Amino acid sequence: MASRSSLVTTTTAVFSFLILYLANITAKHRHSTTNDHHHHHHDSSVSNPRLQQAYLALQAWKLVIYSDPFNTTSDWIGPSVCSYTGIYCAPYPNDTNIQTVAGIDLNHADIAGFLPNEFGLLSDLALLHLNSNRFCGILPLTLSNLTLLFELDLSNNRFVGPFPSVVMSLPSLKFLDLRFNEFEGPLPPELFNKNLDAIFINSNRLTSVIPSNLGSSTASVVVFANNNLGGCLPPSIANFANTMEELLLINTNISGCLPQEVGFLYKLRVLDVSSNKLVGEIPYSIAGLAHLEQLNLGHNMMSGVVPLGVCELPNLVNFTFSYNYFFEEEGVCGNLTSVGIVADDRRNCLPERPLQRSKKECDAVLEHPVDCFELPCGHTHS
């Protein structure tokens, strides 16, 4: 998907910069010690209490790693933790003469195991990237000690349990990626009050409705997709207006109407609410989203007119509204390819278009139009 690729490009660039920075510092540190006798490097590690703590944590972690097919941790031997594969050291912020473990990157290592309580000893971590492994179990509460943690990527693993409330206690966290795990149960509303730049919680087993009291979030990207959230998208989504650029709610079992407040998200570039149970018309406010590039309303139960204002958005490149019950396309909406927009209007009730629904299907829905003003969301929930 275009939205995912643009997002991956952005986050990869940020992560690459941070890791290169940490790796460069580590390389300089190693170079400065290569002229010393080898045991001196060991002694400096032992005499540094921050690296001693990291050594204890990493050795405890290694003991509960049960499969390491690429031998990624085979060099996790001895107290020189800054030379371990996947471990990145940097000067301690409060005393730059002291080295500390600032980053862990074990992405795509296919390691199986769990995170022990000793993980909390890595209190200076700024980056923790464990994408695409086989780590399982619940997250230890000692992660709350990681007060400098900026990026947490646990995606594509086998973590379980309720939404990990421990991440709510991380004061420096900006990037949270919990995609493709087995977390279940309700989403804590407080998650959206945290000062986060990106929230990825898609493809878990989360079941609660999107909180109706969404806070003034700082997130530019929020991905809920492939969870059984249900409920409706509350008007408080407008509180994301100053930052949100991508909102993905694919296959989250949301219902009701899209609120007019979606149109308040004036920075939005990607809006994907496909494969849900949405009804009613396209909010006219979406015609004000001048930065919108990708709009996917496909596979819902929406109806009414496809408005000209949406089709004429200046940056729109892809508009999918197939598998709904729209019965009219205004103006250029009926021929979007003529203006260079990739569009899909199949399986609607558009009389002049090919590959539409049967008259019987259309009549069954269109005889009972939905009035979105009589279906308010967010007013009956606490």
Side-chain angles (χ1 to χ4, degrees):
M1 280 175 36
S3 60
R4 179 172 293 181
S5 64
S6 65
L7 188 57
V8 168
T9 300
T10 304
T11 55
T12 301
V14 171
F15 176 59
S16 298
F17 171 79
L18 289 164
I19 285 298
L20 283 171
Y21 168 74
L22 291 171
N24 185 48
I25 291 172
T26 306
K28 286 180 180 176
H29 174 68
R30 287 181 193 157
H31 179 71
S32 68
T33 57
T34 50
N35 294 327
D36 297 334
H37 198 264
H38 189 64
H39 77 268
H40 178 72
H41 184 66
H42 278 216
D43 289 344
S44 66
S45 297
V46 171
S47 63
N48 178 340
R50 311 201 84 79
L51 294 182
Q52 274 186 295
Q53 293 282 84
Y55 170 71
L56 293 173
L58 294 170
Q59 290 303 310
W61 192 11
K62 188 176 180 180
L63 287 174
V64 292
I65 287 176
Y66 304 122
S67 174
D68 182 3
F70 303 126
N71 295 316
T72 305
T73 61
S74 61
D75 63 357
W76 287 20
I77 299 170
S80 299
V81 293
C82 295
S83 64
Y84 288 9
T85 297
I87 307 301
Y88 297 89
C89 292
Y92 178 55
N94 294 344
D95 184 351
T96 55
N97 294 316
I98 297 175
Q99 290 283 306
T100 191
V101 172
I104 296 178
D105 175 23
L106 296 177
N107 283 354
H108 301 281
D110 198 28
I111 293 170
F114 64 90
L115 305 187
N117 287 328
E118 289 85 351
F119 215 93
L121 296 174
L122 297 164
S123 56
D124 301 329
L125 273 184
L127 300 171
L128 177 57
H129 283 239
L130 303 180
N131 180 320
S132 301
N133 285 284
R134 289 173 287 148
F135 290 112
C136 63
I138 60 174
L139 302 186
L141 294 178
T142 54
L143 284 183
S144 61
N145 294 339
L146 277 53
T147 55
L148 302 179
L149 195 64
F150 182 86
E151 291 196 6
L152 177 61
D153 183 354
L154 304 178
S155 59
N156 198 21
N157 279 284
R158 299 172 183 175
F159 292 112
V160 298
F163 185 90
S165 58
V166 66
V167 305
M168 311 294 291
S169 63
L170 301 174
S172 303
L173 195 65
K174 293 288 186 182
F175 179 98
L176 175 64
D177 192 344
L178 302 177
R179 289 178 286 182
F180 297 99
N181 279 287
E182 300 288 328
F183 296 117
E184 58 191 288
L187 275 176
E190 305 92 300
L191 174 66
F192 304 101
N193 294 329
K194 281 192 66 65
N195 192 25
L196 293 166
D197 291 337
I199 303 170
F200 299 89
I201 52 176
N202 48 301
S203 303
N204 279 280
R205 295 172 177 265
L206 300 168
T207 53
S208 69
V209 299
I210 299 169
S212 60
N213 57 335
L214 289 176
S216 299
S217 175
T218 57
S220 61
V221 181
V222 178
V223 184
F224 292 101
N226 301 315
N227 285 290
N228 188 25
L229 298 179
C232 53
L233 186 62
S236 55
I237 192 69
N239 290 337
F240 286 83
N242 291 329
T243 54
M244 183 171 284
E245 296 180 15
E246 301 191 17
L247 176 60
L248 286 83
L249 287 158
I250 309 148
N251 188 33
T252 49
N253 198 31
I254 58 171
S255 57
C257 297
L258 269 185
Q260 292 287 348
E261 286 80 3
V262 167
F264 296 1
L265 305 175
Y266 65 94
K267 293 186 176 180
L268 210 59
R269 292 185 297 105
V270 178
L271 175 60
D272 193 333
V273 292
S274 59
S275 299
N276 284 295
K277 298 176 181 176
L278 294 171
V279 296
E281 298 187 350
I282 298 174
Y284 62 85
S285 59
I286 289 180
L289 297 177
H291 299 286
L292 197 65
E293 300 169 12
Q294 312 274 342
L295 176 58
N296 193 341
L297 308 175
H299 291 269
N300 279 287
M301 296 182 286
M302 300 179 73
S303 58
V305 176
V306 181
L308 180 62
V310 174
C311 299
E312 290 184 334
L313 284 169
N315 289 295
L316 193 65
V317 294
N318 194 315
F319 184 14
T320 298
F321 50 97
S322 53
Y323 290 87
N324 279 284
Y325 294 88
F326 296 113
F327 57 78
E328 183 183 344
E329 296 169 306
E330 289 185 343
V332 74
C333 296
N335 190 15
L336 286 170
T337 54
S338 68
V339 291
I341 296 174
V342 177
D344 187 353
D345 63 3
R346 293 171 301 151
R347 294 291 181 263
N348 278 287
C349 301
L350 303 165
E352 306 300 322
R353 301 291 293 162
L355 302 174
Q356 298 299 299
R357 295 183 185 273
S358 68
K359 186 177 185 301
K360 182 179 179 182
E361 275 187 288
C362 291
D363 288 348
V365 171
L366 300 180
E367 284 174 5
H368 304 282
V370 174
D371 184 349
C372 288
F373 290 103
E374 294 182 0
L375 282 177
C377 177
H379 301 292
T380 57
H381 296 85
S382 59

